[in-house]
Amino acid sequence: MKKSIGSILLLCLLVSCQTESKLAFEPVQLQGENCGDCPKIEINIPSALDDSPVSEAINRSLQEEIISILSFTEDDDIDNAEKALQSFTESFKEVKTKFPDEVQWETTIDGEVIYEDENVITLILNSYSFTGGAHGYASTSFLNFDKRKGTELENWELFDDLDGFEDFAETKFRIQEKIPQDANINATGFMFEGDSFHLSNNIGYTQDGLKLIYNQYEVASYADGPIELILPYNEINLYLKRKVKI
C-alpha cells in the first residue's frame, strides 16, 4: 500500500512539473472596423501571460509579424497590432478613393502554439491577404523560441550541423518529390534559385518532426501551393542543437 501511494505521489509530481514547465496563454482576437468601405480584418493569436523573457519575446514577435503583414508603409509609429490594423484600413480607403471599383481587401491571421518542451516553444502563424489582383496570398510562418534564454531563434540557430542537415533535407526532398538524386534540383519543374537546393525560410518544431514549409512562389508556382517536408526527430537529432526526446 505504501509503495502504491508513493508511486501515485511521484506520478502527480511528474505531471505537476510538466504542467508548470508549460507557458500559459490566453486567446486574443482583433477585428477591423465594421463598415461598408472598410477591409475585412480578423486576427486570432495567443498571448503569453507571464512576464518571463520568453513570454515577452513571443508577444513582441507576434506583434512584429502582424505589423509586417498589415502595414504598407515604413512608419516607425506603427509599433503594435492595433496601429497596424488602422494602417491597413487607411491604405484601403486611400486606394478606394482613387479607384472606386476596387474590390474589398481582406486579411486573416491565425496563430497557435504547436510544439513545446523544456527547451523550445514553437508557434505557427497562418495568414491570408487579398489586396486586389487575380488572387490573394496565403503564407505560413514558424516562430521558434529558446525558453531558457528567452530569445527568438533564427533558423541557423536550430542546428549544430547546418550543412549536414541541408544535405540530408535535400536527399529527403528529392525522394518525396521524385527528383532523381543525380539530376538538377529543378529538373521536374521546381524553381530553386541558382538551380541549387536551399532550406525553406520557414522551419519549425512540430509533434511529428521538424517541418519545412516553402510558401507559394518560394520554389514553385502559385498553382502548386505550399510545399511541405517533415523530417522525424529520430533521423535528424544528430543535426539539432536542441535535441528532442523520442
Side-chain angles (χ1 to χ4, degrees):
M1 183 68 178
K2 290 182 179 179
K3 289 184 178 180
S4 297
I5 294 174
S7 298
I8 292 172
L9 289 174
L10 178 60
L11 178 61
C12 290
L13 180 61
L14 289 173
V15 171
S16 174
C17 290
Q18 290 175 355
T19 303
E20 289 175 5
S21 69
K22 297 283 187 179
L23 296 179
F25 291 85
E26 67 176 0
V28 172
Q29 183 178 66
L30 301 173
Q31 293 184 322
E33 299 177 40
N34 184 16
C35 70
D37 288 330
C38 295
K40 178 184 176 182
I41 308 173
E42 185 169 334
I43 299 172
N44 298 282
I45 58 171
S47 177
L49 292 177
D50 62 48
D51 57 357
S52 65
V54 68
S55 292
E56 292 177 358
I58 289 170
N59 292 337
R60 181 172 59 252
S61 293
L62 285 171
Q63 293 284 319
E64 291 172 352
E65 289 290 326
I66 292 171
I67 291 170
S68 175
I69 293 169
L70 294 181
S71 179
F72 289 87
T73 69
E74 297 183 0
D75 188 349
D76 292 336
D77 291 335
I78 302 175
D79 54 6
N80 59 49
E82 288 80 5
K83 290 181 180 179
L85 264 72
Q86 183 180 355
S87 173
F88 188 83
T89 300
E90 290 174 352
S91 294
F92 171 71
K93 289 181 177 180
E94 183 178 344
V95 171
K96 189 74 172 176
T97 300
K98 297 178 181 178
F99 306 98
D101 295 331
E102 177 71 12
V103 179
Q104 187 183 48
W105 292 3
E106 65 174 288
T107 187
T108 58
I109 302 173
D110 294 298
E112 63 175 316
V113 177
I114 59 167
Y115 181 86
E116 183 176 7
D117 61 23
E118 66 272 20
N119 297 311
V120 176
I121 182 167
T122 298
L123 286 78
I124 190 170
L125 206 63
N126 292 304
S127 67
Y128 171 81
S129 295
F130 177 80
T131 55
H135 49 69
Y137 177 69
S139 68
T140 298
S141 300
F142 287 115
L143 303 175
N144 302 292
F145 299 87
D146 185 311
K147 291 177 65 176
R148 299 181 188 279
K149 294 181 179 179
T151 58
E152 184 176 359
L153 295 167
E154 299 291 339
N155 285 345
W156 63 268
E157 294 180 285
L158 302 179
F159 305 102
D160 264 336
D161 181 2
L162 179 59
D163 291 337
F165 176 78
E166 186 168 17
D167 290 341
F168 179 81
E170 178 175 359
T171 298
K172 291 295 186 177
F173 185 89
R174 285 175 177 272
I175 293 172
Q176 174 180 290
E177 301 299 328
K178 298 179 173 58
I179 306 170
Q181 295 294 331
D182 58 351
N184 186 295
I185 192 66
N186 293 329
T188 61
F190 281 98
M191 300 183 295
F192 282 91
E193 186 176 352
D195 290 332
S196 297
F197 176 85
H198 63 76
L199 298 177
S200 66
N201 295 322
N202 296 292
I203 303 174
Y205 285 78
T206 74
Q207 295 301 324
D208 299 321
L210 204 67
K211 179 181 282 191
L212 286 68
I213 297 181
Y214 296 90
N215 284 314
Q216 290 167 310
Y217 296 124
E218 192 173 343
V219 296
S221 68
Y222 176 86
D224 290 322
I227 310 295
E228 299 184 0
L229 178 67
I230 299 178
L231 302 173
Y233 294 117
N234 64 342
E235 297 181 3
I236 63 167
N237 253 342
L238 70 161
Y239 304 113
L240 295 177
K241 184 167 291 185
R242 297 158 187 82
K243 316 297 183 186
V244 174
K245 295 178 181 178
I246 303 170

